[in-house]
Amino acid sequence: MIVLGAFPLVFIVTAALTESSLGKPFKKFVGAENFEAVLRDSDVLQSIFRTVSYSFAVTAVSVVLGVLLACAVYEGARKGSVLRTLLLLPLIIPPVIVGTLWKLIYNPSGGLIATVLGYASIPAPQILSDGSLALAAVGVADIWQWTPLVFLLVYASLLGQDSSLNEAARLDGAHGWKLFVHITLPAIGGTIAAAAFIRLVIALKVFDLVFMMTSGGPGQSTTTTSYLIYQAAIKEFDVDRASAITLLLAVVVTVITVPIGLMIARIRRSEGSNA
Amino acid sequence: MKAIELSPQGEAPTRPRQFTEKPSFEEQKQNKPAQSHFWARGIIGISVVATFLPLAYLISVSLMGRDETVSGILWTLDPQFSNWSDVLFSSDIPRSIGNSLIAATFGALLSLAGGLPGAWAIVHYKTGGRALSALVTSPWLLPPVVAVIPLFILLRVLNLNDSLVGLTLIYALINLPIAVWLLEGFLHKIPSSIFDAAAVDGAGPWRTLVSIVTPLMLPALIAIGTIIAILNYNEFLLATFLTQSVESQTAPVALSLFYGDRTPHFGKIAAASVIVVIPVFAAATFLQRWMIDGLVNGVGK
């Protein structure tokens, strides 16, 4: 099992250090040459920067919306499983279909947005072929798909919180916003942090949506690093470049996620000891 | 003083009329002021619309003819059920759905079969401590594109390239960490006294696993199996690279090829999308209670 798990890693490191193509891997050893080429490649660096900022943006929006919705359902809805099922629907839909769906919605000739704007005689925007809008448009689909996960986790944690604490605070005169900030938020903070972490990791991996909606374009405006690796490896058969980018991405992802992960673990442990 | 004002009895006379249809027992149980329901319902309403509208639009488009999809209408007056029948009877979609279901189900079963002993060893025998458990989950952090090329070469070596068997094995392998991680959350809940009793009765680790842990974990296994099967069913990147022929391609791959034409027929694309979603939707509806349990226990532990 460890052999199988380690194989990809060993392969990538070796491929990154050699001159390789899909047909003939490991032709000759070239050392760090591939890395230097990748680090000097502005396409690569920009795609990493794009992926990271995209991920933080969609994570922030998803977490805010997810927490808001979880609190709303907790406060205002009966334990309706129909409602819950409906709200969780996007989660189970294949990302390829989510991409297709939003591509239809954005479609400038006859799509949902174009049609609705057409009623108001506003010309249809070319959302996915506008370099400044395309990435945000992909982000909207991403948020639509994954916010329910944040909602679910936070909602579960709200249901599991100690209600006697809540009642005591109410008796002391806390309510509304004050109750949320001082009692609810600390109680579910660990879960929110964990949900944000999971959401961030999912966002860093975004591929299917880009593949279906924009194929990385227009220009390079939606080329996330996952997509760039795909291009290098599968379209250009440039396995050594792909491997070098992969390792660079792995380093970036690790640098971002490990400190956050450790921080969350510490928060949750201290919460556990307080309880 | 304030305490009396805020008690349910105290606020009842001032409660706005329109909220009285709420079941009063729930109000009392949760002990919350009725005013807060207003904003909460607004948010729920907006969310339901935002969630459902795109899906309703997909279904609507799936009934449109070729010209209608580009003519700027929201609902067709002449529903083209031929979109659906074309996809069902003269395309690769049904076959690819079958492929997806096979790879998803058997992949999930294999992940569970490998994950249960692993998770049990980590939880009960503390094998590897916290480090191993973190190490096992770490591959999940990286984008799957990372593993595409090595897995491709690996399958070629095993002569399982472009085959459903190969894809199933890959799915089993890549989801093993998730299986272990989610199973851990459930295993922590089983009181260890049960295992101690089994040990006193002379049951070895293997017998304890088979005859005590597995039956106790059955609901969890269903939950986690469902989640992993859905992940497998929805997976696209590995499938598109590892299965290219019609005989082995999965539903997301077949669907992505629908854009191949010069002028894509959006109605058919939408119909195919809806058809591909139906199996996941059915599974999720049927198993949702367990599935949600699995997510919450595994991730939110």
Side-chain angles (χ1 to χ4, degrees), chain B residues 109-140:
Chain B
L109 289 176
L110 286 173
S111 296
L112 289 179
L116 186 60
W120 193 50
I122 289 175
V123 171
H124 191 59
Y125 296 102
K126 309 264 187 288
T127 312
R130 198 143 60 203
L132 182 64
S133 143
L135 192 69
V136 166
T137 22
S138 60
W140 179 72

PDB file of all heavy atoms in Angstrom, chain B residues 109-140:
ATOM      1  N   LEU B 109     -16.370   0.037  -2.287  1.00  0.00           N
ATOM      2  CA  LEU B 109     -16.301  -1.172  -1.464  1.00  0.00           C
ATOM      3  C   LEU B 109     -14.845  -1.524  -1.148  1.00  0.00           C
ATOM      4  O   LEU B 109     -14.512  -1.873  -0.009  1.00  0.00           O
ATOM      5  CB  LEU B 109     -16.985  -2.340  -2.188  1.00  0.00           C
ATOM      6  CG  LEU B 109     -18.513  -2.249  -2.273  1.00  0.00           C
ATOM      7  CD1 LEU B 109     -19.077  -3.403  -3.091  1.00  0.00           C
ATOM      8  CD2 LEU B 109     -19.114  -2.249  -0.868  1.00  0.00           C
ATOM      9  N   LEU B 110     -13.985  -1.424  -2.165  1.00  0.00           N
ATOM     10  CA  LEU B 110     -12.573  -1.739  -1.929  1.00  0.00           C
ATOM     11  C   LEU B 110     -11.938  -0.746  -0.953  1.00  0.00           C
ATOM     12  O   LEU B 110     -11.137  -1.135  -0.098  1.00  0.00           O
ATOM     13  CB  LEU B 110     -11.806  -1.739  -3.253  1.00  0.00           C
ATOM     14  CG  LEU B 110     -12.060  -2.939  -4.174  1.00  0.00           C
ATOM     15  CD1 LEU B 110     -11.371  -2.745  -5.513  1.00  0.00           C
ATOM     16  CD2 LEU B 110     -11.544  -4.215  -3.506  1.00  0.00           C
ATOM     17  N   SER B 111     -12.305   0.547  -1.098  1.00  0.00           N
ATOM     18  CA  SER B 111     -11.759   1.547  -0.169  1.00  0.00           C
ATOM     19  C   SER B 111     -12.146   1.217   1.263  1.00  0.00           C
ATOM     20  O   SER B 111     -11.333   1.320   2.186  1.00  0.00           O
ATOM     21  CB  SER B 111     -12.276   2.947  -0.503  1.00  0.00           C
ATOM     22  OG  SER B 111     -11.840   3.348  -1.766  1.00  0.00           O
ATOM     23  N   LEU B 112     -13.409   0.803   1.445  1.00  0.00           N
ATOM     24  CA  LEU B 112     -13.869   0.469   2.794  1.00  0.00           C
ATOM     25  C   LEU B 112     -13.144  -0.775   3.308  1.00  0.00           C
ATOM     26  O   LEU B 112     -12.721  -0.819   4.467  1.00  0.00           O
ATOM     27  CB  LEU B 112     -15.373   0.209   2.793  1.00  0.00           C
ATOM     28  CG  LEU B 112     -16.286   1.409   2.596  1.00  0.00           C
ATOM     29  CD1 LEU B 112     -17.735   0.963   2.606  1.00  0.00           C
ATOM     30  CD2 LEU B 112     -16.042   2.456   3.665  1.00  0.00           C
ATOM     31  N   ALA B 113     -12.995  -1.774   2.424  1.00  0.00           N
ATOM     32  CA  ALA B 113     -12.353  -3.018   2.843  1.00  0.00           C
ATOM     33  C   ALA B 113     -10.919  -2.751   3.289  1.00  0.00           C
ATOM     34  O   ALA B 113     -10.418  -3.360   4.240  1.00  0.00           O
ATOM     35  CB  ALA B 113     -12.375  -4.028   1.699  1.00  0.00           C
ATOM     36  N   GLY B 114     -10.252  -1.825   2.620  1.00  0.00           N
ATOM     37  CA  GLY B 114      -8.888  -1.503   3.026  1.00  0.00           C
ATOM     38  C   GLY B 114      -8.853  -0.514   4.179  1.00  0.00           C
ATOM     39  O   GLY B 114      -7.965  -0.546   5.025  1.00  0.00           O
ATOM     40  N   GLY B 115      -9.851   0.397   4.200  1.00  0.00           N
ATOM     41  CA  GLY B 115      -9.824   1.482   5.174  1.00  0.00           C
ATOM     42  C   GLY B 115     -10.185   1.045   6.583  1.00  0.00           C
ATOM     43  O   GLY B 115      -9.639   1.552   7.557  1.00  0.00           O
ATOM     44  N   LEU B 116     -11.104   0.078   6.695  1.00  0.00           N
ATOM     45  CA  LEU B 116     -11.578  -0.308   8.030  1.00  0.00           C
ATOM     46  C   LEU B 116     -10.460  -0.888   8.904  1.00  0.00           C
ATOM     47  O   LEU B 116     -10.252  -0.405  10.021  1.00  0.00           O
ATOM     48  CB  LEU B 116     -12.768  -1.270   7.914  1.00  0.00           C
ATOM     49  CG  LEU B 116     -13.444  -1.624   9.241  1.00  0.00           C
ATOM     50  CD1 LEU B 116     -13.987  -0.381   9.917  1.00  0.00           C
ATOM     51  CD2 LEU B 116     -14.567  -2.624   9.040  1.00  0.00           C
ATOM     52  N   PRO B 117      -9.717  -1.896   8.409  1.00  0.00           N
ATOM     53  CA  PRO B 117      -8.616  -2.386   9.244  1.00  0.00           C
ATOM     54  C   PRO B 117      -7.601  -1.287   9.553  1.00  0.00           C
ATOM     55  O   PRO B 117      -7.106  -1.178  10.682  1.00  0.00           O
ATOM     56  CB  PRO B 117      -7.969  -3.484   8.386  1.00  0.00           C
ATOM     57  CG  PRO B 117      -8.995  -3.864   7.394  1.00  0.00           C
ATOM     58  CD  PRO B 117      -9.832  -2.644   7.153  1.00  0.00           C
ATOM     59  N   GLY B 118      -7.329  -0.442   8.557  1.00  0.00           N
ATOM     60  CA  GLY B 118      -6.361   0.628   8.752  1.00  0.00           C
ATOM     61  C   GLY B 118      -6.810   1.600   9.824  1.00  0.00           C
ATOM     62  O   GLY B 118      -6.071   1.921  10.760  1.00  0.00           O
ATOM     63  N   ALA B 119      -8.065   2.058   9.707  1.00  0.00           N
ATOM     64  CA  ALA B 119      -8.573   3.028  10.677  1.00  0.00           C
ATOM     65  C   ALA B 119      -8.624   2.399  12.070  1.00  0.00           C
ATOM     66  O   ALA B 119      -8.320   3.048  13.076  1.00  0.00           O
ATOM     67  CB  ALA B 119      -9.965   3.498  10.255  1.00  0.00           C
ATOM     68  N   TRP B 120      -8.984   1.120  12.109  1.00  0.00           N
ATOM     69  CA  TRP B 120      -9.102   0.457  13.404  1.00  0.00           C
ATOM     70  C   TRP B 120      -7.731   0.356  14.076  1.00  0.00           C
ATOM     71  O   TRP B 120      -7.589   0.576  15.280  1.00  0.00           O
ATOM     72  CB  TRP B 120      -9.736  -0.919  13.242  1.00  0.00           C
ATOM     73  CG  TRP B 120     -10.158  -1.488  14.547  1.00  0.00           C
ATOM     74  CD1 TRP B 120     -10.915  -0.863  15.498  1.00  0.00           C
ATOM     75  CD2 TRP B 120      -9.822  -2.750  15.078  1.00  0.00           C
ATOM     76  NE1 TRP B 120     -11.090  -1.673  16.571  1.00  0.00           N
ATOM     77  CE2 TRP B 120     -10.426  -2.851  16.350  1.00  0.00           C
ATOM     78  CE3 TRP B 120      -9.078  -3.832  14.591  1.00  0.00           C
ATOM     79  CZ2 TRP B 120     -10.300  -3.971  17.140  1.00  0.00           C
ATOM     80  CZ3 TRP B 120      -8.968  -4.955  15.386  1.00  0.00           C
ATOM     81  CH2 TRP B 120      -9.572  -5.019  16.651  1.00  0.00           C
ATOM     82  N   ALA B 121      -6.741   0.020  13.267  1.00  0.00           N
ATOM     83  CA  ALA B 121      -5.388  -0.062  13.817  1.00  0.00           C
ATOM     84  C   ALA B 121      -4.961   1.288  14.376  1.00  0.00           C
ATOM     85  O   ALA B 121      -4.372   1.383  15.455  1.00  0.00           O
ATOM     86  CB  ALA B 121      -4.403  -0.519  12.740  1.00  0.00           C
ATOM     87  N   ILE B 122      -5.288   2.366  13.646  1.00  0.00           N
ATOM     88  CA  ILE B 122      -4.871   3.694  14.094  1.00  0.00           C
ATOM     89  C   ILE B 122      -5.611   4.081  15.373  1.00  0.00           C
ATOM     90  O   ILE B 122      -5.018   4.591  16.324  1.00  0.00           O
ATOM     91  CB  ILE B 122      -5.137   4.737  12.976  1.00  0.00           C
ATOM     92  CG1 ILE B 122      -4.158   4.507  11.836  1.00  0.00           C
ATOM     93  CG2 ILE B 122      -5.008   6.151  13.516  1.00  0.00           C
ATOM     94  CD1 ILE B 122      -4.403   5.378  10.636  1.00  0.00           C
ATOM     95  N   VAL B 123      -6.925   3.812  15.417  1.00  0.00           N
ATOM     96  CA  VAL B 123      -7.711   4.260  16.562  1.00  0.00           C
ATOM     97  C   VAL B 123      -7.475   3.369  17.781  1.00  0.00           C
ATOM     98  O   VAL B 123      -7.208   3.856  18.883  1.00  0.00           O
ATOM     99  CB  VAL B 123      -9.219   4.278  16.215  1.00  0.00           C
ATOM    100  CG1 VAL B 123     -10.052   4.519  17.462  1.00  0.00           C
ATOM    101  CG2 VAL B 123      -9.499   5.351  15.190  1.00  0.00           C
ATOM    102  N   HIS B 124      -7.570   2.046  17.593  1.00  0.00           N
ATOM    103  CA  HIS B 124      -7.565   1.165  18.751  1.00  0.00           C
ATOM    104  C   HIS B 124      -6.164   0.841  19.241  1.00  0.00           C
ATOM    105  O   HIS B 124      -5.902   0.827  20.438  1.00  0.00           O
ATOM    106  CB  HIS B 124      -8.315  -0.122  18.439  1.00  0.00           C
ATOM    107  CG  HIS B 124      -8.581  -0.948  19.644  1.00  0.00           C
ATOM    108  ND1 HIS B 124      -9.308  -0.460  20.722  1.00  0.00           N
ATOM    109  CD2 HIS B 124      -8.193  -2.194  19.987  1.00  0.00           C
ATOM    110  CE1 HIS B 124      -9.353  -1.387  21.659  1.00  0.00           C
ATOM    111  NE2 HIS B 124      -8.689  -2.445  21.237  1.00  0.00           N
ATOM    112  N   TYR B 125      -5.262   0.560  18.310  1.00  0.00           N
ATOM    113  CA  TYR B 125      -3.917   0.191  18.741  1.00  0.00           C
ATOM    114  C   TYR B 125      -2.964   1.377  18.711  1.00  0.00           C
ATOM    115  O   TYR B 125      -1.782   1.240  18.964  1.00  0.00           O
ATOM    116  CB  TYR B 125      -3.381  -0.941  17.867  1.00  0.00           C
ATOM    117  CG  TYR B 125      -4.191  -2.199  18.014  1.00  0.00           C
ATOM    118  CD1 TYR B 125      -5.119  -2.568  17.048  1.00  0.00           C
ATOM    119  CD2 TYR B 125      -4.041  -3.002  19.137  1.00  0.00           C
ATOM    120  CE1 TYR B 125      -5.878  -3.711  17.191  1.00  0.00           C
ATOM    121  CE2 TYR B 125      -4.801  -4.147  19.291  1.00  0.00           C
ATOM    122  CZ  TYR B 125      -5.716  -4.501  18.329  1.00  0.00           C
ATOM    123  OH  TYR B 125      -6.469  -5.623  18.475  1.00  0.00           O
ATOM    124  N   LYS B 126      -3.506   2.560  18.345  1.00  0.00           N
ATOM    125  CA  LYS B 126      -2.703   3.779  18.281  1.00  0.00           C
ATOM    126  C   LYS B 126      -1.470   3.597  17.401  1.00  0.00           C
ATOM    127  O   LYS B 126      -0.418   4.145  17.668  1.00  0.00           O
ATOM    128  CB  LYS B 126      -2.268   4.209  19.692  1.00  0.00           C
ATOM    129  CG  LYS B 126      -3.397   4.281  20.697  1.00  0.00           C
ATOM    130  CD  LYS B 126      -3.931   5.690  20.838  1.00  0.00           C
ATOM    131  CE  LYS B 126      -4.934   5.796  21.961  1.00  0.00           C
ATOM    132  NZ  LYS B 126      -6.225   5.145  21.664  1.00  0.00           N
ATOM    133  N   THR B 127      -1.620   2.775  16.358  1.00  0.00           N
ATOM    134  CA  THR B 127      -0.501   2.556  15.453  1.00  0.00           C
ATOM    135  C   THR B 127      -0.055   3.884  14.859  1.00  0.00           C
ATOM    136  O   THR B 127      -0.855   4.600  14.270  1.00  0.00           O
ATOM    137  CB  THR B 127      -0.905   1.613  14.299  1.00  0.00           C
ATOM    138  OG1 THR B 127      -1.565   0.507  14.867  1.00  0.00           O
ATOM    139  CG2 THR B 127       0.301   1.163  13.512  1.00  0.00           C
ATOM    140  N   GLY B 128       1.212   4.181  15.009  1.00  0.00           N
ATOM    141  CA  GLY B 128       1.754   5.365  14.363  1.00  0.00           C
ATOM    142  C   GLY B 128       1.355   6.666  15.016  1.00  0.00           C
ATOM    143  O   GLY B 128       1.775   7.736  14.582  1.00  0.00           O
ATOM    144  N   GLY B 129       0.550   6.623  16.058  1.00  0.00           N
ATOM    145  CA  GLY B 129       0.176   7.838  16.770  1.00  0.00           C
ATOM    146  C   GLY B 129      -0.520   8.845  15.873  1.00  0.00           C
ATOM    147  O   GLY B 129      -1.139   8.485  14.882  1.00  0.00           O
ATOM    148  N   ARG B 130      -0.402  10.119  16.250  1.00  0.00           N
ATOM    149  CA  ARG B 130      -1.066  11.148  15.481  1.00  0.00           C
ATOM    150  C   ARG B 130      -0.391  11.350  14.123  1.00  0.00           C
ATOM    151  O   ARG B 130      -1.008  11.746  13.157  1.00  0.00           O
ATOM    152  CB  ARG B 130      -1.075  12.453  16.272  1.00  0.00           C
ATOM    153  CG  ARG B 130      -2.082  13.409  15.747  1.00  0.00           C
ATOM    154  CD  ARG B 130      -2.745  14.207  16.837  1.00  0.00           C
ATOM    155  NE  ARG B 130      -1.808  15.010  17.606  1.00  0.00           N
ATOM    156  CZ  ARG B 130      -2.052  15.428  18.838  1.00  0.00           C
ATOM    157  NH1 ARG B 130      -3.173  15.116  19.409  1.00  0.00           N
ATOM    158  NH2 ARG B 130      -1.184  16.164  19.488  1.00  0.00           N
ATOM    159  N   ALA B 131       0.901  11.051  14.059  1.00  0.00           N
ATOM    160  CA  ALA B 131       1.652  11.297  12.833  1.00  0.00           C
ATOM    161  C   ALA B 131       1.100  10.466  11.673  1.00  0.00           C
ATOM    162  O   ALA B 131       0.875  10.983  10.582  1.00  0.00           O
ATOM    163  CB  ALA B 131       3.125  10.988  13.055  1.00  0.00           C
ATOM    164  N   LEU B 132       0.834   9.181  11.918  1.00  0.00           N
ATOM    165  CA  LEU B 132       0.373   8.318  10.834  1.00  0.00           C
ATOM    166  C   LEU B 132      -0.984   8.778  10.325  1.00  0.00           C
ATOM    167  O   LEU B 132      -1.215   8.855   9.120  1.00  0.00           O
ATOM    168  CB  LEU B 132       0.284   6.854  11.301  1.00  0.00           C
ATOM    169  CG  LEU B 132      -0.158   5.894  10.195  1.00  0.00           C
ATOM    170  CD1 LEU B 132       0.871   5.846   9.084  1.00  0.00           C
ATOM    171  CD2 LEU B 132      -0.395   4.496  10.733  1.00  0.00           C
ATOM    172  N   SER B 133      -1.852   9.112  11.272  1.00  0.00           N
ATOM    173  CA  SER B 133      -3.183   9.542  10.872  1.00  0.00           C
ATOM    174  C   SER B 133      -3.111  10.808  10.019  1.00  0.00           C
ATOM    175  O   SER B 133      -3.844  10.960   9.038  1.00  0.00           O
ATOM    176  CB  SER B 133      -4.019   9.718  12.129  1.00  0.00           C
ATOM    177  OG  SER B 133      -4.869  10.786  12.025  1.00  0.00           O
ATOM    178  N   ALA B 134      -2.198  11.713  10.375  1.00  0.00           N
ATOM    179  CA  ALA B 134      -2.034  12.928   9.567  1.00  0.00           C
ATOM    180  C   ALA B 134      -1.412  12.587   8.212  1.00  0.00           C
ATOM    181  O   ALA B 134      -1.799  13.125   7.178  1.00  0.00           O
ATOM    182  CB  ALA B 134      -1.160  13.936  10.306  1.00  0.00           C
ATOM    183  N   LEU B 135      -0.453  11.670   8.232  1.00  0.00           N
ATOM    184  CA  LEU B 135       0.245  11.289   7.000  1.00  0.00           C
ATOM    185  C   LEU B 135      -0.721  10.652   6.008  1.00  0.00           C
ATOM    186  O   LEU B 135      -0.672  10.908   4.813  1.00  0.00           O
ATOM    187  CB  LEU B 135       1.377  10.308   7.347  1.00  0.00           C
ATOM    188  CG  LEU B 135       2.379  10.031   6.232  1.00  0.00           C
ATOM    189  CD1 LEU B 135       3.218  11.271   5.980  1.00  0.00           C
ATOM    190  CD2 LEU B 135       3.274   8.860   6.601  1.00  0.00           C
ATOM    191  N   VAL B 136      -1.642   9.830   6.542  1.00  0.00           N
ATOM    192  CA  VAL B 136      -2.586   9.142   5.674  1.00  0.00           C
ATOM    193  C   VAL B 136      -3.507  10.135   4.979  1.00  0.00           C
ATOM    194  O   VAL B 136      -3.853   9.977   3.810  1.00  0.00           O
ATOM    195  CB  VAL B 136      -3.411   8.113   6.492  1.00  0.00           C
ATOM    196  CG1 VAL B 136      -4.612   7.621   5.708  1.00  0.00           C
ATOM    197  CG2 VAL B 136      -2.537   6.931   6.874  1.00  0.00           C
ATOM    198  N   THR B 137      -3.897  11.194   5.697  1.00  0.00           N
ATOM    199  CA  THR B 137      -4.818  12.158   5.096  1.00  0.00           C
ATOM    200  C   THR B 137      -4.119  13.160   4.178  1.00  0.00           C
ATOM    201  O   THR B 137      -4.777  13.791   3.361  1.00  0.00           O
ATOM    202  CB  THR B 137      -5.581  12.964   6.171  1.00  0.00           C
ATOM    203  OG1 THR B 137      -4.839  12.915   7.366  1.00  0.00           O
ATOM    204  CG2 THR B 137      -6.949  12.420   6.382  1.00  0.00           C
ATOM    205  N   SER B 138      -2.819  13.295   4.316  1.00  0.00           N
ATOM    206  CA  SER B 138      -2.136  14.376   3.595  1.00  0.00           C
ATOM    207  C   SER B 138      -2.284  14.317   2.068  1.00  0.00           C
ATOM    208  O   SER B 138      -2.334  15.371   1.441  1.00  0.00           O
ATOM    209  CB  SER B 138      -0.662  14.442   3.996  1.00  0.00           C
ATOM    210  OG  SER B 138      -0.034  13.235   3.685  1.00  0.00           O
ATOM    211  N   PRO B 139      -2.357  13.127   1.432  1.00  0.00           N
ATOM    212  CA  PRO B 139      -2.487  13.152  -0.036  1.00  0.00           C
ATOM    213  C   PRO B 139      -3.729  13.900  -0.504  1.00  0.00           C
ATOM    214  O   PRO B 139      -3.754  14.427  -1.607  1.00  0.00           O
ATOM    215  CB  PRO B 139      -2.603  11.667  -0.402  1.00  0.00           C
ATOM    216  CG  PRO B 139      -2.002  10.938   0.714  1.00  0.00           C
ATOM    217  CD  PRO B 139      -2.248  11.755   1.931  1.00  0.00           C
ATOM    218  N   TRP B 140      -4.739  13.967   0.367  1.00  0.00           N
ATOM    219  CA  TRP B 140      -5.975  14.639  -0.011  1.00  0.00           C
ATOM    220  C   TRP B 140      -5.753  16.130  -0.258  1.00  0.00           C
ATOM    221  O   TRP B 140      -6.506  16.773  -0.975  1.00  0.00           O
ATOM    222  CB  TRP B 140      -7.007  14.433   1.104  1.00  0.00           C
ATOM    223  CG  TRP B 140      -8.302  15.092   0.832  1.00  0.00           C
ATOM    224  CD1 TRP B 140      -9.232  14.700  -0.084  1.00  0.00           C
ATOM    225  CD2 TRP B 140      -8.813  16.265   1.440  1.00  0.00           C
ATOM    226  NE1 TRP B 140     -10.292  15.561  -0.067  1.00  0.00           N
ATOM    227  CE2 TRP B 140     -10.057  16.532   0.854  1.00  0.00           C
ATOM    228  CE3 TRP B 140      -8.340  17.133   2.424  1.00  0.00           C
ATOM    229  CZ2 TRP B 140     -10.826  17.617   1.224  1.00  0.00           C
ATOM    230  CZ3 TRP B 140      -9.119  18.209   2.786  1.00  0.00           C
ATOM    231  CH2 TRP B 140     -10.342  18.435   2.189  1.00  0.00           C
TER     232      TRP B 140
END
